[in-house]
Amino acid sequence: MAIIGIDLGTTNSLAACWRDGRLELIPGEDGNVLFPSAVGYVEGEGFLVGAAAKERLLTNPGDTVASFKCFMGTAKEYRLGSRMYTPMELSAMVLERLKRNAERVLQEEVEEAIVTVPAYFNDKQRSDTKKAAQVAGLRVERLINEPSAAALAYRMAVGEEDRTLIVFDFGGGTLDLSYVECFDNVIEIVAVAGDNHLGGDDIDRAIQSHFCKVNGLVEEKLSLEELARIRNLAEQSKCALSASGQADMGLTVGGRVCRAQLNEDILFEICMPLFGKMKQLFLHLLEDADSRVSQIDDLVMVGGSSRLGVVKRFLSELLGKEPVVLDETDRVVALGAGIYAGIRRRGEEIRDMLLTDVCPFTLGIGIRNRSGQDKNILSPMIERNSTLPASCRNRFVTTSDYQREILVKIYQGEEYYVDDNVYLGEVAIEVALKPAGQAWVDVQFTYDINGILHVSVENEMGERRQILLANQALSEEELERYSKELEKIMRPPMEQPENQEMLARFLAYFENSTGERREHIGAMIDYITQGLCSGRKKTVRNAIENARAWLAMLEETQDTREERLFDGRDFYDWEEEEEDQEDGEASRSGLEEEQEENDDAR
Ligand code: AMP
């Protein structure tokens, strides 16, 4: 049974797999690896999916749809024939074709897929993507973010040196920026920022408007078909421009020949408003990653629209460095998904890689607004860009006297008022009958690597209610397995016994020291505590490594101090002497007592 990686793109989709020690893109029947994400319907013939549908976009725009990925997770529907279809159903048709293609090429059944999604997809969009795969007969154990897949492919291409990257994934409908740290066998997504409605399609629209303006055409007065032809010309001219630097646009509209010139300077000007949005996303990303441009080793451009010279020009002006453009920018994400499919099958040729993602949106619960307004506000539990898995526990109190129940409503988003965020679900639990503010519940959020949010609410009587969200498609068995895994990750680094023990040793050194040494140890404790609570794997790892080295150093300097205090007498030789010398025994016991007293004081 094969596992394939799928890049379910806005414009094109691709499938890849790891076979006989090699990464392969899977071609369609026409030999092309790019499979247009388009679906059409022909009365009497049925559905057309892929290239055949894309061709009909021009001639029959009314019964052909594309770019539906932009509306995944929303209520938008498309009419095809006699019925309406959701983006989930249309995506399922594309996925089903990719599965069939792969089975034809691989000559075996494909049961499982690793599917990529934009990093900015919310839980509804992710959940709908999983459902689409399920409808297509594919089991999806793991969705991975498109930039994570790109970073995986980049690392495979350039080697395994430690690097800090920004992956700039500019496709047909979306722009995703990811701040990625690669070290050892870990690829850690530190922060993500993106826009689900900023892509090559917007550039086509801008060129379309430019063409209409130059020729005095009023877009609102043009027919659907005329607009589709202008849009198609705009896209062709844009692609021609990235090959030759110049494009002459010409089209007959309403019996009149219309023309316009397109070159790099004109396109740069036309794209200015889009570049402004991109700049904001960069600011957002660097702020969230607590970083600056000088700390970035490479900017990796992927996605079909990354081929545009004007985008490269804008980025090198913005960042002051030349971006790296991987060959075949539109295939990199699929290749990364294919590598990951190989990892899942434990391909011997691939070193086991750890891919960490971040939570793209803040997750929290609704609480009463203290200002007295009746609009509830969001109390964040897991902040956006926390590394997954992430876990957080907070206590909440009642707001009315002798209230019987607390209803914990769960939301996702960045807005102040809960109503402006995405509602995910709710859990109700009884509370002790007490005056307002005295009864409480502990709420724990755990968000795992598979994008499953586990919320547990416990009252002061020890009763617990739980809910698992964003994965209605999982079987009972899978839910149970995931729940077990969740148990393990619920304990953050700060609460793990070995780290607690390590901190206790620092605290003991702190108590036993004075002056400058004490100050230094205090600073070490601050650094380690902050590191352990940072929520970032690399920072946690650095904190632990440094803590170990410092402990060794403290032990060593302690020995030297003891040597000084005990007039240069070597402690261990002295211990050996104790068998022969009575007074040696007495002094040693004295020291142990002192140590025990210190232990008691702690
Ligand atoms: P993707 O979603 O990654 O497949 O990217 C699709 C987008 O890339 C569409 O907007 C295409 O018009 C655009 N694109 C594809 N090839 C080129 C090219 N050679 N130059 C500029 N844009 C391109």
Side-chain angles (χ1 to χ4, degrees):
M1 218 77 84
I3 306 177
I4 56 170
I6 294 179
D7 168 11
L8 183 60
T10 309
T11 321
N12 293 303
S13 295
L14 296 93
C17 71
W18 193 268
R19 185 163 62 147
D20 302 331
R22 279 186 49 234
L23 186 59
E24 281 178 31
L25 287 169
I26 300 170
E29 274 172 19
D30 58 359
N32 200 341
V33 294
L34 292 181
F35 187 84
S37 309
V39 180
Y41 182 80
V42 186
E43 200 60 56
E45 282 183 41
F47 286 100
L48 296 174
V49 188
K54 188 182 174 186
E55 276 163 23
R56 282 179 61 88
L57 266 177
L58 260 187
T59 51
N60 297 62
D63 58 16
T64 317
V65 292
S67 294
F68 37 85
K69 178 180 166 183
C70 294
F71 295 95
M72 191 76 118
T74 68
K76 183 166 169 80
E77 289 187 320
Y78 299 81
R79 175 168 294 284
L80 283 179
S82 59
R83 117 160 161 73
M84 305 297 284
Y85 290 84
T86 63
M88 187 278 280
E89 289 171 307
L90 298 167
S91 302
M93 294 187 209
V94 173
L95 288 168
E96 197 269 336
R97 289 296 296 271
L98 292 172
K99 172 180 149 80
R100 263 202 281 153
N101 262 341
E103 287 174 341
R104 180 182 45 80
V105 173
L106 301 175
Q107 293 288 303
E108 61 177 316
E109 202 181 324
V110 175
E111 209 187 27
E112 187 184 332
I114 305 292
V115 181
T116 59
V117 287
Y120 238 64
F121 256 22
N122 63 30
D123 281 339
K124 278 210 164 71
Q125 291 163 312
R126 284 167 196 261
S127 181
D128 273 8
T129 306
K130 278 194 160 188
K131 281 186 198 160
Q134 213 167 25
V135 173
L138 287 164
R139 192 176 72 244
V140 175
E141 294 258 338
R142 176 115 195 239
L143 292 175
I144 58 175
N145 287 337
E146 287 165 6
S148 313
L152 202 54
Y154 170 80
R155 201 158 165 75
M156 197 89 168
V158 304
E160 302 202 340
E161 234 178 275
D162 285 3
R163 312 287 291 166
T164 299
L165 333 166
I166 288 184
V167 178
F168 178 91
D169 184 356
F170 195 27
T174 56
L175 170 62
D176 278 313
L177 300 183
S178 308
Y179 188 101
V180 186
E181 282 176 357
C182 304
F183 53 97
D184 300 337
N185 64 335
V186 178
I187 293 182
E188 179 171 352
I189 306 289
V190 176
V192 293
D195 191 330
N196 276 350
H197 299 281
L198 176 58
D201 293 354
D202 296 272
I203 297 183
D204 299 345
R205 256 190 296 277
I207 299 174
Q208 171 188 317
S209 299
H210 167 74
F211 182 84
C212 290
K213 199 167 141 200
V214 167
N215 290 287
L217 300 169
V218 181
E219 288 180 67
E220 292 72 26
K221 291 191 180 158
L222 297 174
S223 69
L224 264 185
E225 222 175 303
E226 283 168 331
L227 280 174
R229 280 171 51 231
I230 300 176
R231 178 75 61 83
N232 190 46
L233 175 70
E235 196 199 351
Q236 280 174 0
S237 312
K238 174 186 76 175
C239 294
L241 197 65
S242 51
S244 65
Q246 165 100 12
D248 291 318
M249 300 175 73
L251 194 72
T252 307
V253 185
R256 183 159 69 88
V257 179
C258 300
R259 296 199 177 282
Q261 264 266 317
L262 199 63
N263 61 32
E264 295 275 334
D265 288 338
I266 296 173
L267 189 62
F268 198 84
E269 195 63 36
I270 292 175
C271 291
M272 267 308 182
L274 305 178
F275 293 154
K277 286 187 183 176
M278 283 182 195
K279 186 177 170 194
Q280 287 309 314
L281 288 178
F282 268 97
L283 285 178
H284 197 74
L285 181 80
L286 289 171
E287 240 168 47
D288 277 3
D290 194 17
S291 180
R292 48 185 55 218
V293 167
S294 56
Q295 290 172 354
I296 312 296
D297 296 313
D298 295 320
L299 177 89
V300 182
M301 296 179 71
V302 299
S305 303
S306 285
R307 293 214 177 103
L308 276 172
V310 287
V311 178
K312 279 178 233 163
R313 182 170 133 197
F314 163 72
L315 291 175
S316 39
E317 278 176 22
L318 180 74
L319 306 174
K321 65 176 73 185
E322 279 305 308
V324 180
V325 185
L326 291 180
D327 286 347
E328 302 181 315
T329 52
D330 44 8
R331 290 153 207 226
V332 178
V333 171
L335 290 172
I339 296 171
Y340 203 82
I343 292 172
R344 271 197 68 81
R345 277 197 97 172
R346 294 264 170 260
E348 279 173 21
E349 303 80 3
I350 316 172
R351 245 181 81 193
D352 217 1
M353 300 277 277
L354 189 67
L355 210 60
T356 73
D357 273 339
V358 289
C359 166
F361 288 97
T362 298
L363 294 161
I365 68 167
I367 57 167
R368 181 72 61 84
N369 190 341
R370 279 178 203 277
S371 70
Q373 269 184 299
D374 53 1
K375 279 171 91 174
N376 284 353
I377 57 172
L378 185 78
S379 173
M381 293 286 291
I382 295 179
E383 298 275 4
R384 72 164 184 269
N385 284 327
S386 303
T387 303
L388 299 184
S391 190
C392 169
R393 193 179 175 89
N394 278 330
R395 182 161 290 185
F396 295 90
V397 294
T398 48
T399 48
S400 313
D401 288 339
Y402 305 101
Q403 172 177 340
R404 287 183 173 278
E405 192 182 74
I406 281 187
L407 181 63
V408 176
K409 286 191 165 186
I410 305 147
Y411 295 87
Q412 172 179 273
E414 312 307 320
E415 306 301 328
Y416 184 66
Y417 294 112
V418 288
D419 290 346
D420 300 329
N421 292 298
V422 179
Y423 165 80
L424 296 178
E426 59 191 50
V427 193
I429 191 164
E430 282 186 5
V431 283
L433 287 176
K434 288 184 178 174
Q438 289 186 21
W440 52 260
V441 290
D442 279 337
V443 178
Q444 173 135 16
F445 270 42
T446 305
Y447 198 52
D448 83 346
I449 199 84
N450 298 298
I452 301 173
L453 174 65
H454 176 250
V455 178
S456 148
V457 184
E458 194 172 334
N459 64 19
E460 55 195 290
M461 289 83 86
E463 291 159 348
R464 206 201 279 189
R465 303 274 176 277
Q466 346 198 28
I467 182 171
L468 277 179
L469 292 165
N471 233 309
Q472 298 86 337
L474 291 179
S475 67
E476 285 291 307
E477 199 182 70
E478 285 168 327
L479 279 181
E480 203 185 312
R481 181 156 51 83
Y482 284 130
S483 303
K484 283 203 181 119
E485 276 172 22
L486 286 168
E487 297 264 303
K488 277 193 245 152
I489 53 177
M490 275 182 171
R491 220 173 241 207
M494 189 62 189
E495 285 172 23
Q496 285 165 13
E498 58 275 23
N499 294 337
Q500 281 289 314
E501 207 176 290
M502 191 166 64
L503 270 174
R505 288 175 66 193
F506 276 97
L507 293 171
Y509 276 119
F510 183 84
E511 280 176 36
N512 291 331
S513 311
T514 49
E516 217 176 301
R517 182 178 161 91
R518 192 179 161 101
E519 261 175 47
H520 279 151
I521 298 173
M524 289 174 188
I525 295 172
D526 280 351
Y527 168 86
I528 299 164
T529 315
Q530 276 172 22
L532 291 177
C533 295
S534 67
R536 291 175 53 185
K537 285 206 167 45
K538 193 177 176 187
T539 316
V540 169
R541 194 182 65 153
N542 283 344
I544 294 174
E545 273 174 12
N546 280 328
R548 285 198 189 122
W550 290 336
L551 272 180
M553 190 187 73
L554 286 172
E555 265 148 36
E556 209 170 281
T557 49
Q558 178 82 353
D559 287 349
T560 333
R561 288 174 81 221
E562 277 164 7
E563 216 175 288
R564 190 159 40 84
L565 290 174
F566 287 96
D567 299 326
R569 298 189 65 191
D570 189 311
F571 209 61
Y572 297 100
D573 287 350
W574 188 32
E575 265 185 87
E576 276 167 19
E577 280 169 32
E578 73 192 49
E579 285 167 16
D580 314 324
Q581 293 182 14
E582 286 274 82
D583 59 340
E585 176 66 30
S587 306
R588 188 171 159 267
S589 321
L591 193 82
E592 270 181 359
E593 267 165 35
E594 191 186 308
Q595 188 73 47
E596 271 165 25
E597 268 171 31
N598 281 335
D599 284 348
D600 289 346
R602 246 173 275 147

